[in-house]
Amino acid sequence: MIRTAAPADVPVIHAMVRELAEYEKALHEAEATEEQLHEALFGERPAAYAHIAESDDGEVVGFALWFLNFSTWRGVHGIYLEDLYVRPERRGGGHGKALLAELARICVERGYGRLEWSVLNWNAPSIAFYESLGARPQDEWTVYRLTDGALAELGGASGGRTSA
């Protein structure tokens, strides 16, 4: 049911990323191309990893895209789950849980200290699903993000350099 993504999966991963963005009411922000995903997942220096959920007949029905993070407090890596998506008509079949279980297995096997992700506050079905697995919100933290003009402005200010 769950397997590591292969280069041939990039088109279907890309399609599901766009489906997820549409569900999250942010399709206009989904700018990644298939080529960018291929490079991130399978290029010379992969920056991300993906797992695929398949139905019994071999149809790709979901995916998890993740990357490593690092906890200075714990002194070990963790997994940050960027996207978890199961196509609506296939939800309830255990694919999402199986994808998360695979990432948890990787964490345990490799000695990683955390499996983390973000969920939109309005996404009650996903929140209920995650909490049913024992996940708990980290509501004492607020996510901040720099993008577009603000990122360019800050990155261009004094060259973004620090002295060593």
Side-chain angles (χ1 to χ4, degrees):
M1 181 187 283
I2 305 301
R3 63 174 173 79
T4 302
D9 294 313
V10 169
V12 73
I13 292 170
H14 183 259
M16 288 188 291
V17 165
R18 295 192 56 77
E19 291 170 24
L20 175 59
E22 185 172 27
Y23 172 76
E24 292 183 348
K25 302 170 179 56
L27 184 57
H28 61 283
E29 295 180 37
E31 299 174 359
T33 65
E34 287 184 25
E35 293 77 19
Q36 288 172 314
L37 285 175
H38 186 276
E39 183 64 26
L41 294 168
F42 304 106
E44 187 176 319
R45 293 175 41 190
Y49 308 91
H51 283 78
I52 297 293
E54 290 183 330
S55 64
D56 291 338
D57 61 1
E59 178 189 354
V60 174
V61 298
F63 78 104
L65 193 142
W66 57 278
F67 54 88
L68 293 179
N69 59 16
F70 185 81
S71 170
T72 56
W73 290 11
R74 291 184 170 222
V76 295
H77 282 292
I79 286 178
Y80 186 83
L81 176 60
E82 179 67 19
D83 288 332
L84 175 69
Y85 181 73
V86 175
R87 289 189 156 145
E89 66 275 10
R90 296 302 191 131
R91 292 182 186 154
H95 298 97
K97 183 176 181 179
L99 284 163
L100 283 170
E102 176 61 11
L103 298 185
R105 185 195 66 73
I106 291 169
C107 285
V108 170
E109 177 182 274
R110 297 181 187 178
Y112 297 165
R114 297 177 177 162
L115 172 55
E116 298 179 309
W117 60 92
S118 296
V119 61
L120 290 166
N121 292 332
W122 58 259
N123 194 344
S126 293
I127 291 168
F129 168 64
Y130 298 143
E131 289 183 352
S132 78
L133 299 176
R136 297 294 171 251
Q138 301 299 298
D139 54 8
E140 67 271 15
W141 296 90
T142 299
V143 175
Y144 281 82
R145 178 178 297 157
L146 282 171
T147 61
D148 305 323
L151 179 63
E153 184 176 337
L154 183 61
S158 72
R161 297 190 178 109
T162 59
S163 57

